Amino acid sequence: MSPLNRKKLDKIRDERTNQIKKAALKIFARYGYLGTKTSLVASEAGISEGLIYKYFKSKDELFTTLIQELMEEAKSELEGLYHLEGSPFDQIRTLTKNMISEENRDAFVLIQRARKDEDVPEKIIPIFKQYSAYNLIDILVPIIVKGQELGEFSNEDPRKLASWYFFIINSICIQEVEKEEYGLPSIDVLMRILKK
Amino acid sequence: MSPLNRKKLDKIRDERTNQIKKAALKIFARYGYLGTKTSLVASEAGISEGLIYKYFKSKDELFTTLIQELMEEAKSELEGLYHLEGSPFDQIRTLTKNMISEENRDAFVLIQRARKDEDVPEKIIPIFKQYSAYNLIDILVPIIVKGQELGEFSNEDPRKLASWYFFIINSICIQEVEKEEYGLPSIDVLMRILKK
Amino acid sequence: MSPLNRKKLDKIRDERTNQIKKAALKIFARYGYLGTKTSLVASEAGISEGLIYKYFKSKDELFTTLIQELMEEAKSELEGLYHLEGSPFDQIRTLTKNMISEENRDAFVLIQRARKDEDVPEKIIPIFKQYSAYNLIDILVPIIVKGQELGEFSNEDPRKLASWYFFIINSICIQEVEKEEYGLPSIDVLMRILKK
Amino acid sequence: MSPLNRKKLDKIRDERTNQIKKAALKIFARYGYLGTKTSLVASEAGISEGLIYKYFKSKDELFTTLIQELMEEAKSELEGLYHLEGSPFDQIRTLTKNMISEENRDAFVLIQRARKDEDVPEKIIPIFKQYSAYNLIDILVPIIVKGQELGEFSNEDPRKLASWYFFIINSICIQEVEKEEYGLPSIDVLMRILKK
DNA sequence: TATGAATGAGGCTTCATTCAT
DNA sequence: TATGAATGAAGCCTCATTCAT
């Protein structure tokens, strides 16, 4: 086969893979693992149902791959936090903004559902274990401590405060905002959770 | 049939109906509509698989009935709000406490899932319409306005503030708290959302 | 539930299980593992396709169960050989008769296919290992040795002779005899394989 | 197109056709009709999945063509029998040797499977009819009769004896010998089937 | 000619629902 | 009323076949 051809085919495979992952992210986030029919993923991706299985061994693997990759991305995002400029308040504000931004929402929703739903493949458990070191909470705690010293944040146990804050942000991300009259709460309203 | 027998049978029917509804509430809240197997509801209720269908025409009807009744209960609860003693802050604090209390949690979760999940029977749409007059938000707004006048709350558009607040409370109720190290955020942390 | 009822239900379950196993034995023996459609097993058994799965977890398990049980039966049969009356020639003649008798044929065919076909579930490997001690060949060897001493059999390496004999008997059992004008070879023709 | 090119293309077509048939013979013999995946045939032949369909209309046609051609070859082989030197015993010994020789085994296995398996395309039925005149048995019978006259063979009904003998040889050819400790039975052991 | 991406019919399996007892 | 065996529609997945390149 000519290298030109090979390149073109690789491109097609990449495109399809991404199409499927994009569609799957949307549908899984919306309907959950069980609620997601492969036929729906296929039609969202604009391909036939069978083609999915040329790219992923099973619905399970598609789901697991998605989670794995989203966790990897989340890790990068979180590592970036360390180098952010500004006060603790500003850092957390930026993080929050990223989490609730429309382009990341589905990803957060999916990870949340994967963590909480009961009907999800067991293979994701080791994935979450693998990334536990990049746990948002562990990263937030020192920032919150510093913020507390500066008087920017409330004086609860910093780990508990971080945990609750993250829990709330995650919880609202899981919702379908389209149905809400005013959309998601504004960042500054959310930041009050941390304040005195 | 003797009236005595009739009475006894009626009692049995009532008992069974309640057993099934109680089991269904728990299972639906945990697994969602699609994720819930009627066989699991039956075994949770301690009855045979077929019996559910002597009391409810279908899984769909069981779900819809549950939602209908929970909405009715929620309505009473909300009407009670008007007669609560104390400042606006205290009133909302009490409401919040009820919403996130363990005994009501499943009910809130289920209503939330019914509102948000995509895989739910369409028959519930008119139910939510029917109770829109008892919308939590409409009831909260005047309380918040009063609270703002008293300086207890932040000065955003009161309807928007109420909407966001309710949205957040609902969102966190939907989560499975058991997996959280620190449980649900404390009421007072949540109340900060409304504060200046 | 009344004990009477329980008994009746147990009877039904036993009957169904046997119906399914009987049908499956016939169809698996005829079409092989892959060639067997669960729908065909169901219709051969006179039940719906879904019911199979109330009695067996999967086509795989149905197949494996069948093999397991047939091996167990074969073991009894073989243990019985030790106590047979008559000369070595008579003993092997009796065994051969059993193997090629119509009522055992499907069982032999199925075991053969399970051993040889490439498309069979891997779970059967340990089953065959488990029964290797009851290997027909090991049992035949001493009988053949004795027969050789008595001049009844040919003087090849007894293990090789047993192996070949068994191989031939098994091979012909696997065929569908219905299509043969003269049916299976007669026992005495087969016994010539062992003779001088 | 130049005649030269035409010639070259014809050569390619012939090569490909043979590659595919050779691969198909091996795979069909091993896995049976249903168990054979066209993708596996393609990779065994070292070509792409789609190319098979430029040379054969379908898996069915590939299979049928193979059977047709193998029958034709078998016919030649059998016609050659008439001109073989030696006693009846020697003639049948030679035939047997050819049948069980490694290079012909796959062909015999495939024909056998085609005759016996239930999951095979119906189109092969007329092929077998077409070659019934060259039926091995019809050819064997006069040789056996002659052998009986010479006292080389047992005195059963010669047609029945031929039929059984062929049946046994065919049956053992179908097996996968690789798994057997001692391989196929030796020719002389097999020939005993015909002897007194 | 040759490739391999794409399709869709059909098989295995689950589970809401019905039915005989 | 209560049971659980039985059904069959619908979902996941495989693979023979087609099609664009």
Side-chain angles (χ1 to χ4, degrees):
Chain A
M1 191 192 302
S2 74
L4 212 70
N5 224 340
R6 157 58 56 112
K7 219 167 163 183
K8 208 192 280 174
L9 286 179
D10 278 358
K11 201 184 145 208
I12 287 180
R13 288 198 71 82
D14 274 8
E15 275 175 14
R16 278 315 153 269
T17 305
N18 287 328
Q19 261 177 72
I20 294 171
K21 286 197 291 203
K22 195 178 157 193
L25 171 56
K26 179 172 166 185
I27 305 295
F28 276 132
R30 204 178 178 79
Y31 297 96
Y33 182 73
L34 249 186
T36 290
K37 302 171 194 177
T38 53
S39 59
L40 190 53
V41 173
S43 76
E44 174 75 26
I47 60 171
S48 71
E49 209 177 338
L51 192 57
I52 291 177
Y53 294 87
K54 282 279 182 2
Y55 292 84
F56 298 90
K57 268 208 289 287
S58 63
K59 180 179 169 181
D60 183 330
E61 197 204 72
L62 173 55
F63 186 81
T64 310
T65 302
L66 229 40
I67 295 293
Q68 175 78 255
E69 292 185 8
L70 294 176
M71 292 303 286
E72 193 60 26
E73 282 175 37
K75 174 183 152 181
S76 313
E77 171 102 0
L78 291 177
E79 283 171 339
L81 248 196
Y82 293 120
H83 314 104
L84 278 183
E85 305 291 313
S87 69
F89 183 92
D90 291 336
Q91 286 180 29
I92 293 186
R93 200 178 181 283
T94 302
L95 172 65
T96 305
K97 204 163 139 193
N98 285 335
M99 287 170 67
I100 69 179
S101 82
E102 208 159 334
E103 57 178 334
N104 294 332
R105 196 97 43 80
D106 275 349
F108 272 100
V109 172
L110 187 51
I111 290 177
Q112 268 298 43
R113 296 197 80 143
R115 275 191 201 278
K116 307 289 179 174
D117 284 4
E118 298 279 345
D119 55 22
V120 127
E122 291 187 10
K123 284 182 207 154
I124 57 161
I125 297 175
I127 300 180
F128 285 124
K129 279 217 181 96
Q130 172 191 353
Y131 285 95
S132 61
Y134 294 93
N135 196 298
L136 194 46
I137 291 168
D138 294 315
I139 291 165
L140 280 183
V141 168
I143 301 177
I144 285 184
V145 170
K146 202 173 149 203
Q148 287 174 329
E149 286 163 5
L150 295 172
E152 289 180 337
F153 299 143
S154 165
N155 279 320
E156 277 103 355
D157 168 8
R159 192 172 179 80
K160 186 193 272 193
L161 192 57
S163 181
W164 283 349
Y165 183 70
F166 185 38
F167 177 69
I168 292 172
I169 302 300
N170 267 322
S171 300
I172 64 176
C173 281
I174 232 182
Q175 309 298 329
E176 287 183 62
V177 178
E178 297 78 34
K179 294 186 177 171
E180 294 299 322
E181 197 178 347
Y182 297 101
L184 281 186
S186 74
I187 298 182
D188 291 314
V189 163
L190 293 171
M191 291 297 290
R192 282 187 207 148
I193 293 162
L194 296 171
K195 285 212 276 190
K196 280 198 194 167
Chain B
M1 191 189 296
S2 75
L4 209 69
N5 259 340
R6 155 60 61 104
K7 217 169 163 185
K8 212 193 279 174
L9 287 180
D10 276 359
K11 200 184 147 209
I12 288 181
R13 282 201 73 82
D14 275 6
E15 273 175 15
R16 287 294 166 278
T17 306
N18 286 328
Q19 265 175 70
I20 295 171
K21 287 197 291 203
K22 194 178 158 195
L25 171 57
K26 177 173 168 185
I27 305 295
F28 276 132
R30 193 180 181 81
Y31 297 99
Y33 180 73
L34 252 182
T36 290
K37 302 173 194 176
T38 53
S39 58
L40 188 54
V41 174
S43 77
E44 174 75 25
I47 59 171
S48 71
E49 259 179 88
L51 194 56
I52 290 179
Y53 292 86
K54 291 286 193 306
Y55 291 85
F56 298 90
K57 263 209 295 285
S58 63
K59 180 180 172 179
D60 183 330
E61 197 203 75
L62 171 56
F63 186 82
T64 311
T65 302
L66 225 45
I67 296 295
Q68 176 75 255
E69 293 187 7
L70 293 175
M71 292 304 287
E72 192 60 32
E73 282 175 37
K75 175 182 151 183
S76 314
E77 170 104 359
L78 291 176
E79 283 170 338
L81 247 196
Y82 292 121
H83 313 104
L84 278 182
E85 304 292 314
S87 68
F89 183 93
D90 291 337
Q91 285 180 29
I92 294 186
R93 201 177 181 287
T94 301
L95 172 65
T96 304
K97 204 164 142 191
N98 284 336
M99 286 170 69
I100 68 178
S101 82
E102 210 159 332
E103 58 178 332
N104 295 332
R105 195 93 46 77
D106 275 350
F108 270 100
V109 170
L110 188 51
I111 290 177
Q112 268 298 51
R113 295 196 82 141
R115 272 192 203 278
K116 306 292 179 177
D117 284 4
E118 296 280 345
D119 56 20
V120 127
E122 291 188 9
K123 284 184 207 156
I124 58 160
I125 298 174
I127 301 179
F128 285 124
K129 281 216 179 97
Q130 172 191 351
Y131 285 94
S132 63
Y134 295 92
N135 195 297
L136 193 47
I137 292 167
D138 293 315
I139 291 165
L140 280 182
V141 168
I143 301 177
I144 284 184
V145 169
K146 202 173 150 203
Q148 286 175 329
E149 285 164 4
L150 295 173
E152 289 179 337
F153 298 143
S154 165
N155 279 320
E156 279 102 355
D157 168 8
R159 192 172 178 80
K160 187 192 271 191
L161 192 58
S163 178
W164 283 349
Y165 183 70
F166 186 40
F167 177 71
I168 292 171
I169 302 302
N170 267 321
S171 300
I172 63 176
C173 280
I174 230 182
Q175 309 297 329
E176 285 183 63
V177 179
E178 295 80 34
K179 296 185 179 170
E180 294 298 321
E181 197 177 346
Y182 297 102
L184 281 186
S186 73
I187 298 183
D188 291 314
V189 164
L190 293 171
M191 291 295 290
R192 283 187 207 146
I193 293 162
L194 297 171
K195 286 209 276 188
K196 275 197 200 173
Chain C
M1 192 192 304
S2 76
L4 212 69
N5 225 339
R6 159 55 58 111
K7 220 168 163 182
K8 209 193 277 174
L9 287 178
D10 277 359
K11 200 183 145 210
I12 287 181
R13 288 197 72 82
D14 274 7
E15 275 174 15
R16 279 313 154 270
T17 305
N18 288 329
Q19 261 176 72
I20 294 172
K21 287 198 290 202
K22 195 178 158 193
L25 171 56
K26 178 172 167 186
I27 305 295
F28 276 132
R30 203 181 180 78
Y31 297 97
Y33 182 73
L34 249 186
T36 291
K37 302 171 194 175
T38 53
S39 59
L40 190 54
V41 173
S43 76
E44 173 75 25
I47 58 171
S48 72
E49 211 176 339
L51 192 56
I52 292 177
Y53 294 87
K54 282 280 183 3
Y55 291 85
F56 298 91
K57 268 208 290 286
S58 63
K59 180 181 169 178
D60 183 330
E61 197 204 73
L62 173 55
F63 187 82
T64 310
T65 302
L66 229 41
I67 295 294
Q68 176 76 255
E69 292 186 7
L70 294 175
M71 293 303 288
E72 192 59 28
E73 283 175 36
K75 175 182 152 183
S76 313
E77 172 103 359
L78 291 176
E79 283 170 339
L81 248 197
Y82 293 120
H83 313 105
L84 278 183
E85 305 290 315
S87 69
F89 183 91
D90 291 337
Q91 285 181 30
I92 294 187
R93 199 176 183 287
T94 302
L95 173 65
T96 305
K97 202 162 140 194
N98 285 336
M99 286 170 69
I100 68 179
S101 82
E102 207 159 334
E103 58 178 334
N104 295 333
R105 196 95 44 79
D106 275 348
F108 271 99
V109 170
L110 187 51
I111 290 178
Q112 268 298 51
R113 295 197 82 142
R115 275 192 200 277
K116 307 289 179 175
D117 284 4
E118 297 280 345
D119 55 22
V120 127
E122 291 187 9
K123 284 183 209 155
I124 57 159
I125 297 174
I127 300 180
F128 285 124
K129 280 218 180 93
Q130 172 190 352
Y131 285 94
S132 62
Y134 295 91
N135 196 297
L136 195 45
I137 292 168
D138 293 315
I139 291 165
L140 280 183
V141 167
I143 301 177
I144 285 184
V145 169
K146 202 172 150 204
Q148 287 175 330
E149 286 162 6
L150 296 172
E152 290 179 337
F153 298 143
S154 164
N155 280 320
E156 277 103 355
D157 168 8
R159 191 171 179 81
K160 187 193 272 193
L161 191 58
S163 181
W164 283 348
Y165 183 70
F166 184 39
F167 178 69
I168 292 171
I169 302 301
N170 267 321
S171 299
I172 64 176
C173 281
I174 231 182
Q175 310 298 329
E176 286 185 61
V177 179
E178 296 79 35
K179 294 185 178 172
E180 294 298 321
E181 197 177 348
Y182 297 101
L184 280 186
S186 73
I187 297 182
D188 291 313
V189 163
L190 294 171
M191 292 296 290
R192 284 188 206 146
I193 293 162
L194 296 172
K195 286 211 277 191
K196 280 199 192 169
Chain D
M1 189 189 299
S2 76
L4 208 70
N5 257 341
R6 156 60 61 104
K7 218 168 161 185
K8 210 191 283 175
L9 286 180
D10 276 359
K11 200 183 147 212
I12 288 181
R13 283 201 71 83
D14 275 7
E15 274 175 14
R16 287 293 167 279
T17 307
N18 286 328
Q19 266 174 72
I20 295 172
K21 287 196 290 203
K22 195 178 157 197
L25 172 57
K26 178 172 166 186
I27 305 295
F28 276 132
R30 194 179 180 79
Y31 298 99
Y33 180 73
L34 252 182
T36 290
K37 301 173 195 177
T38 53
S39 59
L40 188 54
V41 173
S43 79
E44 174 76 26
I47 60 171
S48 71
E49 258 180 88
L51 195 55
I52 290 178
Y53 293 86
K54 290 287 193 306
Y55 292 85
F56 298 91
K57 264 209 295 282
S58 64
K59 179 180 174 180
D60 183 331
E61 197 203 73
L62 171 56
F63 187 81
T64 311
T65 302
L66 225 44
I67 296 295
Q68 176 77 257
E69 293 186 8
L70 294 175
M71 293 303 288
E72 192 60 34
E73 281 174 38
K75 176 183 152 184
S76 315
E77 170 103 1
L78 291 176
E79 283 170 337
L81 246 198
Y82 293 120
H83 314 104
L84 278 182
E85 304 293 314
S87 69
F89 183 93
D90 290 337
Q91 284 179 31
I92 294 186
R93 201 178 181 287
T94 303
L95 172 65
T96 305
K97 204 163 139 192
N98 284 336
M99 286 169 70
I100 69 177
S101 82
E102 210 159 332
E103 59 179 333
N104 295 331
R105 195 95 45 78
D106 275 349
F108 271 100
V109 170
L110 188 51
I111 289 178
Q112 269 298 51
R113 296 197 79 141
R115 273 191 203 279
K116 307 289 179 177
D117 284 3
E118 296 281 345
D119 55 21
V120 127
E122 292 188 8
K123 285 183 206 156
I124 58 161
I125 297 174
I127 301 178
F128 286 123
K129 280 217 178 95
Q130 173 192 350
Y131 285 93
S132 62
Y134 295 92
N135 195 297
L136 193 48
I137 292 167
D138 293 316
I139 290 164
L140 280 183
V141 167
I143 301 175
I144 285 184
V145 169
K146 204 173 149 203
Q148 287 175 329
E149 286 162 5
L150 295 172
E152 290 180 337
F153 298 143
S154 165
N155 279 320
E156 277 103 356
D157 168 7
R159 193 174 178 77
K160 188 192 268 190
L161 192 57
S163 180
W164 284 350
Y165 183 69
F166 186 39
F167 177 71
I168 292 171
I169 302 302
N170 267 323
S171 299
I172 64 176
C173 280
I174 231 183
Q175 308 298 328
E176 284 182 63
V177 179
E178 296 79 33
K179 295 185 180 171
E180 294 298 321
E181 196 178 348
Y182 297 101
L184 281 186
S186 73
I187 297 182
D188 292 314
V189 163
L190 293 172
M191 291 297 289
R192 282 187 208 149
I193 292 162
L194 297 171
K195 286 211 276 190
K196 275 199 202 170

